[in-house]
Amino acid sequence: MPRMWRARPLAVLGAFAVALTAGCGPRRIAQPTRQPPTLIALLPDPESGTTGRARVSNEFGAVNLSAPRAATSVTADGAPGAITAISEADVARLFGDALAALPPPPRHFTLYFRFESDALTDPSTALVPAILTAVRELAVPEVLVIGHTDTMGDLKANVALGLKRAMSVRGILVDAGLAASTVEVTSHGEADLLIKTSNNTPEPRNRRVEITVR
């Protein structure tokens, strides 16, 4: 009997040692995948050519981009990198597909009117075919027509005159084959003068309709 009591603790200890050894063996730990840096570049506006500003920041630091094609690289575990300038060729190579997928920039046209009339001047009438061509080049066009006046007359009458002029242009475009649903019309009256004048001042350049095709 005494021998049996001495053997049992040894067996328990041996089993515990085996389990402990198995639990402490080498373990393979998956290493996180390191993401490549992200390139951020500041490109000029395709319509105006103007370059704005951009601030790139994270918890580690920040940089300001303000020059055409200024660029920085950003990682998940560090501050944005030093600012560099990428070339036009790099822009085409790196961002060409994304830029090609953008819609074309809006096109703008200005038509002028005879004094106190909704009749176009002759040069403005000659511009209508170019407007129609610009609209037809777009798969899903939107046309915004805004009527304006000079400061002759009162404010309320000029809003009505600006709307009359815008509706006249809309009629010309629809009669030429544009879908009426694509043309939005509004009037600013004398509230948005192209040439700043005092009240009751005739100014032909303010008697206009501005058209945006996008």
Side-chain angles (χ1 to χ4, degrees), residues 82-147:
I83 297 175
T84 60
I86 62 176
S87 66
E88 292 282 4
D90 288 334
V91 171
R93 177 175 58 85
L94 297 171
F95 307 113
D97 291 342
L99 293 173
L102 293 174
R107 296 189 61 184
H108 304 282
F109 302 88
T110 302
L111 305 181
Y112 295 98
F113 291 80
R114 297 188 173 95
F115 180 58
E116 293 186 345
S117 170
D118 61 348
L120 291 173
T121 62
D122 290 341
S124 293
T125 299
L127 193 58
V128 171
I131 299 172
L132 296 172
T133 298
V135 175
R136 289 166 179 160
E137 287 176 348
L138 302 176
V140 186
E142 295 180 1
V143 183
L144 176 61
V145 180
I146 305 175

Side-chain angles (χ1 to χ4, degrees), residues 40-178:
I40 299 175
L42 182 65
L43 303 181
D45 180 82
E47 182 181 4
S48 66
T50 302
T51 301
R53 295 176 179 272
R55 182 173 178 82
V56 182
S57 63
N58 60 17
E59 60 183 303
F60 303 104
V63 296
N64 294 312
L65 306 180
S66 59
R69 303 189 308 281
T72 182
S73 294
V74 181
T75 61
D77 56 357
I83 297 175
T84 60
I86 62 176
S87 66
E88 292 282 4
D90 288 334
V91 171
R93 177 175 58 85
L94 297 171
F95 307 113
D97 291 342
L99 293 173
L102 293 174
R107 296 189 61 184
H108 304 282
F109 302 88
T110 302
L111 305 181
Y112 295 98
F113 291 80
R114 297 188 173 95
F115 180 58
E116 293 186 345
S117 170
D118 61 348
L120 291 173
T121 62
D122 290 341
S124 293
T125 299
L127 193 58
V128 171
I131 299 172
L132 296 172
T133 298
V135 175
R136 289 166 179 160
E137 287 176 348
L138 302 176
V140 186
E142 295 180 1
V143 183
L144 176 61
V145 180
I146 305 175
H148 302 268
T149 71
D150 58 21
T151 59
M152 297 296 293
D154 62 48
L155 293 175
K156 186 176 180 179
N158 281 335
V159 170
L161 179 56
L163 183 60
K164 186 178 181 181
R165 287 171 174 166
M167 290 298 294
S168 174
V169 170
R170 179 182 183 274
I172 293 172
L173 299 177
V174 171
D175 289 345
L178 264 60

